[in-house]
């Protein structure tokens, strides 16, 4: 919680940080209230006054972003998709950082055999082709959103663990660790009370990367047709448009979800950078 | 030195072996039953039993595992469930297609990124810098399949400049052979995915080179070069850029490996007959021997990338081996 407040305060200092935080915040709000303010149910087939199915209707006041080939409201689907993107992104980022942080802390602090084993595991995961692995996994299990989140988390903590470990290895030589030890602090105390707060900035930066990656990957999975069939996501909207072969006739169907992903992920990247510039004085000096 | 290389090589072998094992057991332990596509549960129990013996599935799992390893050692990936042909035949041409799609565009992205990043970093604080950083980040943030679809929409359908997909025009080369790759038709098909992937991958090398150049600006040898009276350009291209290229050179093989893994998406949009598309199609047809083989080849490329990256690093910057 404290880390979150610090993150917000630091990021808010720069213009790009303020803009990206606002965009991200807006998306978050939409993700929470979206399904309530959506004018239609995303899977409802809409008919016009004459009782004809509204197939591929261009944007109108009733359907802000037009309709799909099945007469569904694109705008409502987009709002539901925002919830999916945020849910997948935030949960995956959280899982990634919790696992990565702990593995990194333990490997870096204890070193020796524990370090060797943990680092071999990350080596193997680093060699794992990310998207193909998730596709294979999804093809063998249930295609639902929780499997997608778990599969992504399972692979993505590898880089966080590496970054944190390297930092911990240099931190554990420092004076404050030695002085904590002389006061009789246990390993756990030193690790989580003395060292962990110092690697938090790194963890926060890796959260933003994980968030960005998770959102894009979830969209890719949806586009390849391996998404959760019961959930509307921006990737699956694009997949539906692509699969119907109507996308070239209905730009209102295929452009908005792509733009949404692009805007959201860009804001995440800039948020991370705005934070890093303040945290890392070396970067700041160069700017 | 040689001890370091030996250890690194051994780790790579270990990584691949673990991945193989993981794959093997994943396909056999997870709830979905891959064999249901070949041995239909609707068959008589007797017939099912016969088929099971034929495929060697009556043997214990560990025995199957060793047979699997033995076959892999001689590049025998089994038979495709879908076509009945050896998987090795199905897959051999696909590897080359993926490499031809991914490698040139990645190298172009790195070349372009290095050049633009160096110039922009050298004159920091310019308007162009801000615009380029924003543009490249947005491009990287967009889903690549969506960018590809927009490119097809605009360049292929609106302007009719490029074909919509595939590697050559249908019927041009009834028998796929090496001649295909030297035709203008092939290059015409490659052009659009090449451009999209180059722009998409531009961001990482661009930002890396920019910060790498920024770090050299204050260095003594740059000051010295300037004091010698060399032109600004000469200092940039002959002194600053050379040293700043190190992080780019060492990350290239690794990102190449990742790009191969990510090419699944771009191949699907452009119907490019590479490894990624083959894998996605095979998953859709429950053709598991093909899925396994395609996945393994992609993994080998990824792992090889990381290995080469490490080795390059020790070659270009010998300081780091002394650990």
């Amino acid at each position: 919680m404290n880390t979150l407040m610090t993150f917000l305060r630091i990021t808010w200092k720069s213009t790009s940080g303020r803009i990206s935080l606002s965009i991200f915040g807006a998306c978050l709000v939409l993700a929470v209230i979206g399904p309530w303010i959506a004018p239609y149910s995303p899977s409802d087939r809409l008919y016009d006054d004459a009782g004809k199915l509204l197939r591929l209707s261009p944007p109108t006041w009733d359907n802000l972003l037009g309709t799909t080939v099945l007469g569904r409201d694109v705008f409502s689907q987009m709002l539901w998709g925002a919830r999916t993107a945020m849910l997948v992104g935030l949960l995956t980022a959280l899982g990634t950082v919790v696992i990565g942080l702990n593995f990194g802390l333990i490997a870096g602090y204890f070193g020796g055999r524990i370090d060797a084993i943990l680092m071999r595991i990350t080596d193997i995961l680093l060699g794992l082709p990310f998207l193909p692995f998730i596709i294979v996994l999804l093809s063998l299990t249930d295609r639902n959103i929780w499997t997608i989140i778990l599969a992504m988390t399972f692979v993505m903590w590898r880089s966080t663990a590496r970054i944190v470990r390297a930092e911990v290895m240099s931190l554990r030589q420092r004076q404050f660790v030695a002085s904590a030890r002389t006061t009789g602090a246990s390993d756990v105390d030193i690790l989580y009370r003395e060292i962990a707060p110092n690697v938090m900035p790194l963890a926060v930066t890796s959260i933003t990367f994980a968030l960005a990656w998770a959102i894009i990957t979830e969209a890719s999975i949806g586009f390849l047709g391996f998404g959760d069939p019961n959930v509307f996501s921006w990737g699956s909207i694009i997949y539906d448009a692509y699969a119907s072969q109507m996308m070239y006739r209905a730009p209102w169907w295929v452009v908005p979800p792509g733009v949404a992903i692009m805007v959201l992920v860009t804001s995440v990247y800039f948020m991370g950078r705005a934070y890093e510039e303040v945290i890392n004085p070396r970067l700041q000096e160069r700017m | 030195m040689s001890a370091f290389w030996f250890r690194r090589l051994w780790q790579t072998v270990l990584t691949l072996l673990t991945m193989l094992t993981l794959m093997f057991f994943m396909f056999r332990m997870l709830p979905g039953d891959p064999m249901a596509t070949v041995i239909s549960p609707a068959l008589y129990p007797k017939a099912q039993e016969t088929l099971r013996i034929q495929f060697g599935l009556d043997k214990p799992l560990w025995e199957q595992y060793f047979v699997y390893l033995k076959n892999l050692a001689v590049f025998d990936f089994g038979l495709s469930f879908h076509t009945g042909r050896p998987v090795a035949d199905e897959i051999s041409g696909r590897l080359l297609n993926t490499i031809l799609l991914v490698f040139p565009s990645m190298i172009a992205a790195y070349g372009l990124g290095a050049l633009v990043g160096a110039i922009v970093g050298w004159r920091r604080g310019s308007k162009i810098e801000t615009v380029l950083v924003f543009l490249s980040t947005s491009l990287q943030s967009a889903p690549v399949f969506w960018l590809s679809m927009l490119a097809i929409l605009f360049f292929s359908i609106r302007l009719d400049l490029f074909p919509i997909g595939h590697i050559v025009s249908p019927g041009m080369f009834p028998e796929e052979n090496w001649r295909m790759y030297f035709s203008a038709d092939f290059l015409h098909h490659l052009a659009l995915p090449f451009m999209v992937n180059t722009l998409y991958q531009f961001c990482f090398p661009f930002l890396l080179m920019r910060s790498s150049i920024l770090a050299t600006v204050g260095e003594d040898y740059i000051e010295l070069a300037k004091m010698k009276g060399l032109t600004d350009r000469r200092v940039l291209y002959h002194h600053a850029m050379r040293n700043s290229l190190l992080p780019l050179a060492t990350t290239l093989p690794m990102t190449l490996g990742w790009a191969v893994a990510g090419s699944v998406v771009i191949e699907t949009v452009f119907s490019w007959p590479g490894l990624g598309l083959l894998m996605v199609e095979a998953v859709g047809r429950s053709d598991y021997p093909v899925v396994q083989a395609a996945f393994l080849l992609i993994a080998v490329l990824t792992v090889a990338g990381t290995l080469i990256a490490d080795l390059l690093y020790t070659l270009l910057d010998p300081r780091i081996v002394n650990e």
Side-chain angles (χ1 to χ4, degrees):
Chain A
M1 211 56 220
N2 232 331
T3 315
L4 183 66
M5 289 318 286
T6 325
F7 173 75
L8 293 178
R9 212 184 57 235
I10 290 173
T11 314
W12 196 255
K13 278 186 184 148
S14 64
T15 321
S16 70
R18 264 199 293 274
I19 298 174
S20 45
L21 258 184
S22 312
I23 294 176
F24 187 79
C27 286
L28 196 62
V29 170
L30 280 181
V32 175
I33 63 165
W36 283 301
I37 61 166
Y40 307 97
S41 155
S43 49
D44 263 359
R45 311 184 71 170
L46 306 175
Y47 296 87
D48 61 7
D49 297 335
K52 242 183 83 195
L53 185 69
L54 271 174
R55 272 184 103 225
L56 294 179
S57 150
T60 59
W61 279 114
D62 285 335
N63 306 100
L64 284 177
L65 294 173
T67 59
T68 72
V69 75
L70 294 173
R72 291 167 171 168
D73 184 43
V74 176
F75 181 64
S76 305
Q77 293 193 344
M78 288 287 299
L79 286 174
W80 282 82
R83 176 172 281 192
T84 311
M86 277 294 176
L87 186 75
V88 171
L90 288 176
L91 280 183
T92 310
L94 197 70
T96 300
V97 94
V98 167
I99 303 176
L101 188 63
N102 282 304
F103 268 65
L105 280 171
I106 292 169
Y109 183 74
F110 292 106
R113 181 150 289 187
I114 299 176
D115 180 43
I117 293 169
L118 290 182
M119 284 306 109
R120 263 323 64 72
I121 298 175
T122 59
D123 268 349
I124 291 161
L125 287 175
L126 274 170
L128 208 62
F130 189 42
L131 199 53
F133 172 75
I134 291 174
I135 293 171
V136 168
L137 203 65
L138 286 172
S139 74
L140 291 170
T141 52
D142 281 343
R143 281 176 198 177
N144 69 52
I145 197 156
W146 308 111
T147 323
I148 296 176
I149 293 172
L150 277 179
M152 287 201 286
T153 313
F154 175 74
V155 185
M156 268 165 55
W157 62 268
R158 59 190 184 184
S159 6
T160 312
R162 291 233 146 195
I163 298 167
V164 170
R165 168 186 173 260
E167 184 70 12
V168 172
M169 280 171 76
S170 87
L171 281 174
R172 98 183 145 174
Q173 317 288 345
R174 300 274 181 84
Q175 201 67 54
F176 70 90
V177 174
S179 55
R181 197 166 285 138
T182 50
T183 62
S186 68
D187 279 341
V188 176
D189 271 344
I190 294 175
L191 204 47
Y192 288 95
R193 279 170 200 265
E194 306 292 334
I195 295 182
N198 284 294
V199 293
M200 269 335 217
L202 276 179
V204 169
T205 322
S206 76
I207 280 194
T208 58
F209 273 108
L211 189 55
W213 257 102
I215 294 170
I216 290 198
T217 307
E218 190 274 330
S220 307
I221 293 167
F223 169 73
L224 290 171
F226 295 101
D228 188 333
N230 304 312
V231 167
F232 283 92
S233 92
W234 292 336
S236 71
I237 300 176
I238 300 178
Y239 171 72
D240 286 341
Y242 178 77
S244 75
Q245 307 211 320
M246 292 292 172
M247 56 168 187
Y248 301 122
R249 279 210 270 147
W252 58 84
W253 187 5
V254 72
V255 172
V259 172
I261 297 168
M262 191 158 108
V263 169
L264 178 59
V265 175
T266 309
S267 80
V268 171
Y269 275 132
F270 276 99
M271 243 159 53
R273 268 183 225 155
Y275 175 76
E276 225 186 337
E277 268 165 32
V278 178
I279 280 298
N280 189 343
R282 239 190 0 214
L283 271 173
Q284 201 179 14
E285 193 181 297
R286 285 193 235 138
M287 285 300 139
Chain B
M1 188 72 184
S2 63
F4 174 80
W5 288 49
F6 182 76
R7 206 177 63 220
R8 201 57 197 76
L9 210 65
W10 162 240
Q11 283 170 6
T12 305
V13 173
L14 204 69
T15 303
L16 279 176
L17 211 63
T18 317
M19 228 177 287
L20 270 175
T21 315
L22 188 75
M23 266 286 124
F24 179 86
F25 287 102
M26 239 168 80
F27 276 100
R28 280 151 191 85
M29 304 287 225
L30 283 176
D33 181 13
M35 287 317 287
T37 47
V38 244
I39 305 177
S40 162
L43 285 173
Y44 286 115
K46 199 87 185 175
Q48 281 190 41
E49 194 51 45
T50 320
L51 277 173
R52 205 154 289 162
I53 292 170
Q54 211 173 3
F55 282 106
L57 293 172
D58 55 326
K59 303 206 175 73
L61 210 52
W62 60 267
E63 212 178 312
Q64 291 181 37
Y65 176 64
F66 283 113
V67 171
Y68 173 71
L69 284 189
K70 210 178 74 197
N71 289 339
L72 273 188
V74 291
F75 299 106
D76 178 2
F77 297 102
L79 300 177
S80 159
F81 286 173
H82 182 65
T83 59
R85 294 189 340 174
V87 175
D89 293 357
E90 303 253 318
I91 230 165
S92 55
R94 298 296 190 111
L95 178 65
L96 183 62
N97 291 350
T98 293
I99 289 176
L100 286 174
L101 175 70
V102 173
F103 282 31
S105 52
M106 281 300 277
I107 288 163
Y110 264 73
L112 204 65
L115 194 65
V116 179
I119 295 171
V120 158
W122 195 240
R123 312 192 191 305
R124 59 196 146 151
S126 63
K127 266 251 156 54
I128 302 173
E129 182 182 5
T130 322
V131 173
L132 276 176
V133 168
F134 179 73
L135 259 183
S136 61
T137 309
S138 315
L139 275 175
Q140 198 199 24
S141 305
V144 65
F145 54 88
W146 181 76
L147 285 180
S148 311
M149 280 157 71
L150 292 191
I152 293 175
L153 191 60
F154 188 72
F155 291 106
S156 302
I157 295 182
R158 197 54 63 77
L159 300 178
D160 201 17
L161 283 177
F162 300 104
I164 292 180
H166 301 290
I167 190 164
V168 285
S169 303
M172 274 281 274
F173 296 90
E175 282 174 51
E176 288 187 11
N177 57 24
W178 57 270
R179 219 169 269 144
M180 177 168 101
Y181 301 112
F182 292 95
S183 66
D185 191 48
F186 168 74
L187 290 178
H188 193 202
H189 280 79
L190 179 64
L192 200 55
F194 169 81
M195 281 189 324
V196 171
N197 207 30
T198 306
L199 283 179
Y200 179 67
Q201 303 282 1
F202 171 76
C203 185
F204 179 68
F206 165 68
L207 291 181
L208 194 61
M209 187 66 186
R210 175 172 152 268
S211 53
S212 175
I213 277 276
L214 283 174
T216 59
V217 165
E219 296 271 347
D220 290 343
Y221 67 90
I222 298 292
E223 294 299 316
L224 178 69
K226 279 186 184 161
M227 278 194 284
K228 278 198 295 190
L230 299 178
T231 59
D232 199 39
R233 267 191 183 189
R234 202 174 161 84
V235 179
L236 171 61
Y237 293 125
H238 288 257
H239 297 266
M241 223 174 136
R242 273 202 192 167
N243 281 287
S244 311
L245 276 173
L246 181 69
L248 258 79
T250 50
T251 51
L252 178 61
M254 201 158 68
T255 35
L256 263 178
W258 287 340
V260 169
S263 76
V264 177
V265 175
I266 210 163
E267 283 176 13
T268 307
V269 192
F270 285 102
S271 317
W272 187 267
L275 275 181
L277 181 64
L278 179 74
M279 207 190 99
V280 170
E281 285 173 345
V283 167
R285 292 193 291 245
S286 305
D287 192 349
Y288 289 96
V290 174
V291 177
Q292 255 178 331
F295 180 85
L296 275 182
L297 273 189
I298 296 175
V300 167
L301 284 178
T302 317
V303 173
T306 338
L307 177 70
I308 296 170
D310 273 10
L311 298 186
L312 257 185
Y313 203 68
T314 57
L315 276 182
L316 293 177
D317 193 354
R319 283 172 296 185
I320 64 122
V321 190
N322 309 323
E323 44 175 329

